[in-house]
Amino acid sequence: MTTPHTDHNRSETSPAGPGTLDPAAVPPPGCPAHGLGTDGIRRLYGEEAEADPTGLYEKLRAEHGAVAPVLLHGDLPAWLVLGHRENLTVMRTSSTFSRDSRRWKALQDGRIAADSPLLPMVGWQPLCVFADGEEHKRLRGAVTDSLGRFDRRGVRRHVTRFADQLIDAFAADGRADLVSQFAEQLPMLVMTQLLGMPEEYGPRLVAAARDLMKGTETALASNDFVVETLRQLLMRKAAEPSQDLTSWLMSHDAELSQDEVLEHLRLILVAANETTVNLIANTLRMVLTDDRFRANLSGGHMTLPDALEQVLWDEPPLAVVPGRWATGDTELAGQQIKEGDMLLLALAAGNVDPQVRPDLTTPVHGNRSHLSFSSGPHECPGQDLGRAIADTGIDVLLTRLADVHLAVDESGLSWTSAWLSRHLAELPVEFRPRTQAPRERTGEIPAPTPQPAATAAPDTATATVGPAPSGQTELPAPVARRSWWRRLLGR
């Protein structure tokens, strides 16, 4: 791929074609019109977008319908797909809407700066998410086969172990921030184990992954850190392979190149962390603040997996997913899409589309037709892994801290937003201080064994967890606990 270049004073005025943007015409920060670019097209970045992304989606829906023109960083044009049905159409029709970002007209025309914060997320890489057809089948097959070699009980053992460690660190204080001290830490700690990394890599990778997803000015530097860390991991695993995802990808029959293995590990590490952090934080907030959930859970009408699914409808871990690129001129929801145009999947907006959810207060128990894990050939292969980490981690926390409650009024909670996701800033809670909780042993769980690789269908991959990689200390068998909602019922 040629090095992209752009003149920072130029931009397309609409998804239909290029034009010139006069810097003097751009309203200053804080101006009510600052969220608008040329021709009145709304920006998907900046103060307005970050302050109220949900409100922005609804403005766009009211103005344009199911598909709306928007501007990305650098005032680059794109289409935001807001409708539930339209999202599924784009997700499932790869012949019309390709995942190959090299088709992006703005990139071909050299209008993307080499330091653009968009590049870490949409710049082409040798990944299954940027491939179609047979190449996609080859690359994704390696990922799904390798994820399929983990066993579910093994994943939950890792999650239980790290969740207990995190809780032990603040249990005696009687208060904690469940975002920074729990949700932001747990997924990466688990993922480092599944990839075969040393545990001490966790904290720095957490910070780098968060920065990369925000698309900040330091996103490229954070991406470089993640890539270098993974490159060192590949060197170690080439010399000493073990029972972990890195080794399995390197030895898969698909014969992935070193770059292909590295980029897939980066994708799994970053995407799994961001989405699972948000899923844990949003579910904890809902359980602690929503009377419907507290009443239903204590009354036995809803399990924690039910609560997770409700959150996946109402607050998907990623609000927007880039991207698809039109393979030719086409029409979608009345909008004229040109060849090479970029489309963004607005999962959060699609999940609240009035056409499928006219009443947002109606529970959606057992309904998994939300868009949070995409659909079609590129449906998230790690969704079961994310559910397992969130479900087990939250269950451990609520079992050990059964009296936990919000330490501030719900109106005092705040979020940070970027173009891809909305992140709960803090979740301060209080509880009765306690020392490390005694754990009744009602039975031992046998150590898991790796499962043989099995070919998984592209859209039905299962991600579960396995034993400690060779050379690392085997985890002690966790104690069987009664789940937190069963304890509530017992009361």
Side-chain angles (χ1 to χ4, degrees):
M1 183 175 73
T2 57
T3 302
H5 174 73
T6 187
D7 180 343
H8 289 284
N9 291 330
R10 293 187 60 82
S11 170
E12 289 188 334
T13 60
S14 73
T20 301
L21 177 65
D22 180 2
V26 178
C31 173
H34 192 62
L36 301 177
T38 56
D39 290 347
I41 298 178
R42 296 189 182 275
R43 294 186 172 102
L44 202 59
Y45 69 99
E47 292 182 8
E48 178 185 349
E50 294 175 4
D52 183 15
T54 301
L56 175 61
Y57 303 151
E58 294 312 310
K59 286 180 182 178
L60 289 167
R61 199 195 307 273
E63 294 168 356
H64 302 282
V67 178
V70 294
L71 297 174
L72 301 180
H73 297 78
D75 275 1
L76 295 167
W79 296 100
L80 188 65
V81 185
L82 301 161
H84 188 276
R85 180 178 60 186
E86 289 74 17
N87 266 286
L88 290 177
T89 297
V90 174
M91 293 171 181
R92 295 172 178 176
T93 317
S94 56
S95 59
T96 305
F97 303 104
S98 171
R99 275 302 263 126
D100 190 341
S101 63
R102 291 172 295 186
R103 294 178 178 270
W104 192 8
K105 188 68 161 56
L107 185 64
Q108 294 173 355
D109 292 345
R111 297 198 303 276
I112 315 300
D115 60 351
S116 169
L118 300 175
L119 284 180
M121 301 307 301
V122 302
W124 186 89
Q125 295 139 11
L127 286 165
C128 60
V129 297
F130 289 110
D132 300 307
E134 289 301 312
E135 182 66 0
H136 170 258
K137 183 177 179 180
R138 177 182 76 88
L139 295 172
R140 185 178 172 106
V143 173
T144 55
D145 288 351
S146 298
L147 288 173
R149 295 183 67 172
F150 289 121
D151 114 87
R152 185 178 298 273
R153 289 181 301 174
V155 177
R156 296 189 182 276
R157 287 158 60 89
H158 285 297
V159 179
T160 299
R161 173 195 173 197
F162 288 119
D164 275 329
Q165 287 182 4
L166 293 171
I167 296 166
D168 286 343
F170 58 72
D173 299 335
R175 60 189 303 114
D177 170 21
L178 294 184
V179 173
S180 64
Q181 293 179 266
F182 190 77
E184 287 186 344
Q185 306 298 323
L186 182 61
M188 188 64 79
L189 290 172
V190 175
M191 292 306 301
T192 56
Q193 291 296 290
L194 303 187
L195 268 63
M197 290 181 169
E199 290 181 22
E200 58 267 22
Y201 280 31
R204 289 195 65 188
L205 284 171
V206 167
R210 293 285 308 127
D211 187 58
L212 197 159
M213 291 297 295
K214 291 177 182 177
T216 65
E217 294 180 355
T218 56
L220 288 174
S222 294
N223 184 63
D224 290 343
F225 171 75
V226 172
V227 169
E228 182 56 32
T229 300
L230 291 173
R231 200 176 302 281
Q232 294 176 13
L233 176 65
L234 290 182
M235 293 175 60
R236 288 198 300 273
K237 294 302 176 182
E240 298 182 13
S242 54
Q243 299 296 313
D244 54 60
L245 184 61
T246 304
S247 300
W248 292 334
L249 282 175
M250 294 175 71
S251 62
H252 193 272
D253 291 342
E255 298 182 343
L256 272 63
S257 68
Q258 185 179 58
D259 283 345
E260 288 172 339
V261 173
L262 187 149
E263 292 298 343
H264 281 90
L265 291 175
R266 170 187 170 275
L267 172 69
I268 293 169
L269 193 68
V270 174
N273 182 70
E274 174 70 11
T275 55
T276 311
V277 166
N278 288 340
L279 181 56
I280 293 173
N282 292 338
T283 303
L284 283 170
R285 182 198 62 80
M286 186 169 286
V287 168
L288 293 173
T289 62
D290 195 315
D291 290 338
R292 295 174 305 158
F293 284 81
R294 299 290 287 187
N296 286 341
L297 287 166
S298 61
H301 300 302
M302 178 182 292
T303 64
L304 184 54
D306 289 333
L308 287 171
E309 292 306 319
Q310 184 71 48
V311 169
L312 287 169
W313 273 101
D314 295 341
E315 299 178 277
L318 287 180
V320 175
V321 171
R324 298 293 193 274
W325 289 269
T327 60
D329 293 355
T330 187
E331 180 179 317
L332 184 66
Q335 299 285 15
Q336 300 302 312
I337 312 297
K338 300 296 184 182
E339 180 178 356
D341 279 359
M342 181 187 198
L343 295 93
L344 305 170
L345 307 178
L347 308 184
N351 279 351
V352 296
D353 185 345
Q355 295 296 318
V356 295
R357 291 184 69 192
D359 182 2
L360 297 180
T361 63
T362 301
V364 288
H365 304 167
N367 187 340
R368 289 194 174 188
S369 59
H370 55 73
L371 304 173
S372 294
F373 294 119
S374 190
S375 183
H378 293 279
E379 183 173 359
C380 176
Q383 57 186 281
D384 289 341
L385 174 59
R387 282 190 176 100
I389 295 174
D391 180 280
T392 304
I394 294 173
D395 187 46
V396 170
L397 185 140
L398 296 176
T399 299
R400 288 192 55 183
L401 306 177
D403 61 334
V404 65
H405 58 276
L406 200 62
V408 298
D409 187 82
E410 182 182 355
S411 62
L413 298 178
S414 62
W415 283 259
T416 57
S417 299
W419 67 300
L420 297 181
S421 65
R422 184 171 182 256
H423 190 75
L424 184 62
E426 293 180 322
L427 190 62
V429 296
E430 294 177 340
F431 47 84
R432 177 178 54 82
R434 64 260 283 165
T435 56
Q436 185 170 352
R439 297 169 192 151
E440 297 175 352
R441 291 185 174 269
T442 58
E444 297 293 333
I445 300 176
T449 55
Q451 304 298 313
T455 302
D459 296 343
T460 58
T462 302
T464 48
V465 209
S470 67
Q472 297 186 20
T473 304
E474 176 63 23
L475 300 177
V479 189
R481 295 188 180 93
R482 285 192 301 167
S483 64
W484 69 285
W485 61 82
R486 290 186 182 277
R487 291 181 59 183
L488 287 172
L489 286 173
R491 293 180 180 177

